[in-house]
């Protein structure tokens, strides 16, 4: 195959973002396989595993030196946090099946968030005082909704979706609009909209996608009611002492992997006949009537019958694909939005909130946005709670994009200084163990996909269809599920597509 000038430009773009992973070299002998899968995250590995069990010769190539994609346990950090995927819900049928097959140990998540103080407009307001506090400028029924729950609560109020696939149905296309437009159309006050904007992208995200998240969350809650809640766009554990009818403790959900979520993709990769080819950055995919030629920047070439892209569109758009994509696939791959989430995992030496008299956790209109303090269960009746505690700075959307411009050390120092400004008693009591921004990861370029207004109507239904011999997997191609379950859902769908064609 020949390489065009456009191909060389795209290859240079990949190389520029991948840094030390790139080692250019001469062309190597061409490997062959039935299927080549690009990306060793959960979706790519599930595709490869299913096809391997069906008798296909499958090779997986991974651009980094790590298996797992957004399932990444930072074992090099003191608290070994899961930087991305971590939770397994009770309705995650595929994930639970894989866990059972692989014999992976699980533990109930136990990190409920302690009550919030709202730092809004220069005032600190306890959660119990918010509804009637002068700092609360919202109106009517809005006043009773806590700021941390306002975005999810208002979107849920105006959500017409009932079924898991309603978001893809044309009769709901009128909701493929911005969050701002939805709230304005329904008479939500400017003060409430301003609070929502602290943790939600208002103008450049389709609310229809967020509505689907809400419906999927409600579906999840049917399996384990009252054990989790949405806080600032994330699902977190609630502290509960619920019992069954016979007095036994209710099984704890969601669950986490013993040793961290990285164990799942690592063990999945061991089920493949071929080892994952690491540090292989794909530069070009060329399809013809007989198959696919896939070329990596280091000269590795693989000839296969089919190719599966299990990487984000934000990375796939840098690869040369021939023949040229049709309109729908070109638009989806090149225009779909991606949003960042930045977090800093911390240890709190001693409970500074006992000194300042405020609630431990923070939700604010400052640059730090949210600081979650997790219950360490050390308190006893009529006795003060002791440290240390775990805590997490959480920034989403625009706030995450802005702090991602800083290196980890500077970002950590900035977050601590902002917390000290709001809560002087915290000075010297909080230590950042790990800062992580998905937007800073060159092979991810964001925490997750985010449809822009109008994009669900424009291409969500058709973008998952194969383009000639190229198939598409990944959470961004999800239909009914979310989280890790959606990654396995997409891998299963693609494996079935290929088996039907072979």
């Amino acid at each position: 195959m020949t390489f065009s000038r456009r191909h060389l430009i795209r290859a240079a773009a990949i190389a520029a973002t991948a840094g030390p992973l790139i080692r250019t070299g001469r062309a190597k002998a061409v490997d062959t396989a039935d299927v080549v899968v690009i990306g060793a995250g959960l979706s790519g590995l599930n595709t490869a595993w299913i096809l391997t069990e069906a008798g296909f010769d499958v090779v997986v190539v991974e651009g980094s030196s790590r298996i797992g994609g957004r399932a990444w346990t930072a074992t090099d950090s003191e608290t070994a946090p899961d930087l991305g995927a971590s939770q397994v819900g009770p309705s995650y049928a595929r994930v639970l099946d894989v866990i059972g097959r692989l014999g992976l140990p699980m533990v109930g998540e136990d990190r409920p968030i302690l009550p919030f103080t709202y730092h809004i407009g220069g005032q600190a307001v306890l959660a119990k005082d918010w509804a009637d506090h002068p700092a609360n400028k919202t109106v009517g029924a809005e006043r009773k909704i806590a700021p941390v729950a306002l975005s999810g609560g208002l979107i849920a109020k105006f959500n017409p979706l009932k079924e898991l696939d309603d978001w893809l149905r044309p009769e709901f296309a009128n909701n493929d609009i911005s969050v701002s437009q939805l709230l304005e159309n329904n008479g939500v006050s400017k003060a409430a909209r301003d609070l929502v904007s602290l943790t939600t992208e208002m103008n450049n995200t389709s609310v229809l996608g967020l509505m689907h998240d809400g419906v999927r969350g409600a579906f999840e809650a049917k399996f384990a009611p009252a054990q989790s809640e949405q806080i600032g766009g994330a699902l977190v554990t609630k502290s509960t002492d619920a019992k069954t009818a016979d007095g036994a403790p209710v099984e704890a959900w969601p669950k986490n992997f013993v040793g961290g979520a990285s164990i799942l993709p690592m063990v999945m990769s061991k089920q493949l006949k071929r080892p994952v080819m690491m540090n292989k950055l794909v530069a070009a995919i060329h399809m013809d009537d007989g198959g696919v030629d896939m070329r990596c920047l280091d000269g590795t070439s693989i000839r296969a019958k089919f190719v599966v892209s299990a990487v984000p569109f934000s990375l796939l758009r840098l690869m040369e694909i021939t023949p040229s994509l049709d309109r729908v696939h070109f638009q989806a791959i090149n225009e779909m939005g991606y949003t960042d989430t930045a977090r800093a995992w911390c240890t709190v030496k001693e409970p500074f909130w006992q000194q300042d008299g405020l609630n431990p956790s923070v939700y604010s209109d400052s640059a730090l946005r949210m600081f979650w303090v997790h219950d360490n269960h050390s308190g006893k009746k009529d006795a003060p709670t002791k440290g240390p505690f775990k805590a997490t700075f959480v920034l989403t959307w625009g706030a995450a994009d802005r702090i991602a411009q800083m290196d980890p050390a500077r970002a950590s120092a900035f977050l601590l200084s902002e917390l000290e400004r709001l809560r002087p008693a915290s000075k010297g009591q909080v230590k950042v163990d790990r800062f992580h921004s998905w937007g800073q990861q060159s092979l991810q370029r964001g925490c997750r996909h985010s449809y822009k207004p109008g994009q669900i109507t424009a291409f969500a239904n058709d973008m998952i269809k194969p383009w000639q011999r190229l198939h598409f997997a990944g959470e961004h191609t999800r239909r009914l599920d979310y989280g890790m379950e959606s990654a396995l859902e997409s891998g299963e769908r693609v494996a079935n597509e290929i088996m039907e064609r072979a």
Side-chain angles (χ1 to χ4, degrees), residues 102-350:
L102 300 178
L104 300 179
M106 304 294 291
V107 62
E109 184 172 275
D110 188 23
R111 49 185 181 192
I113 297 175
L114 294 175
F116 282 89
T117 296
Y118 299 114
H119 294 262
I120 305 295
Q123 300 187 62
V125 185
L126 297 179
K128 67 181 181 64
D129 299 328
W130 174 256
D132 299 315
H133 198 278
N136 183 352
K137 306 298 183 182
T138 63
V139 299
E142 300 168 357
R143 296 185 61 83
K144 297 180 180 180
I145 307 176
V148 73
L150 195 59
S151 176
L154 290 175
I155 292 173
K157 179 180 179 180
F158 307 123
N159 189 350
L161 309 185
K162 303 298 181 185
E163 304 298 330
L164 293 176
D165 61 351
D166 278 351
W167 70 291
L168 295 167
R169 298 181 184 276
E171 56 264 39
F172 296 104
N174 62 314
N175 294 283
D176 194 7
I177 57 177
S178 69
V179 176
S180 179
Q181 187 173 349
L182 173 81
L183 300 183
E184 289 179 16
N185 290 349
N186 286 279
V188 173
S189 69
K190 183 180 183 304
R193 299 199 306 272
D194 288 344
L195 288 174
V196 169
S197 71
L198 297 178
T199 55
T200 304
E201 167 55 51
M202 296 292 284
N203 298 308
N204 210 29
T205 294
S206 172
V207 76
L208 186 54
L210 300 181
M211 288 175 171
H212 172 249
D213 289 344
V215 172
R216 183 59 179 81
F219 176 78
E220 186 76 18
K222 294 177 182 179
F223 293 80
Q227 292 197 40
S228 60
E229 59 186 335
Q230 290 284 339
I231 292 183
L235 186 69
V236 299
T237 314
K238 290 174 65 175
S239 184
T240 177
D241 297 317
K243 306 289 184 181
T244 62
D246 59 3
V250 170
E251 184 178 7
W253 291 98
K255 294 185 184 298
N256 302 139
F257 292 88
V258 174
S262 284
I263 191 68
L264 178 59
M266 286 300 299
V267 178
M268 288 176 68
S269 71
K270 301 300 183 184
Q271 312 310 305
L272 308 180
K273 291 185 177 180
R274 294 211 205 186
V276 175
M277 298 176 68
M278 308 301 295
N279 297 322
K280 300 296 182 183
L281 285 157
V282 177
I285 300 168
H286 173 70
M287 295 170 283
D288 55 42
D289 291 341
V292 181
D293 290 307
M294 189 210 70
R295 179 73 177 267
C296 299
L297 286 181
D298 69 354
T300 298
S301 293
I302 300 174
R303 175 72 176 177
K305 297 175 183 176
F306 302 101
V307 59
V308 177
S309 169
V311 296
F313 282 169
S314 54
L315 186 60
L316 182 60
R317 66 185 54 151
L318 295 177
M319 302 176 194
E320 180 77 8
I321 301 173
T322 54
S324 298
L325 298 164
D326 62 7
R327 179 188 59 79
V328 168
H329 287 103
F330 181 88
Q331 184 180 8
I333 292 170
N334 286 283
E335 297 180 12
M336 177 180 278
Y338 278 79
T339 182
D340 192 14
T341 295
R343 297 193 182 203
W345 288 265
C346 309
T347 300
V348 181
K349 300 174 186 177
E350 289 296 337

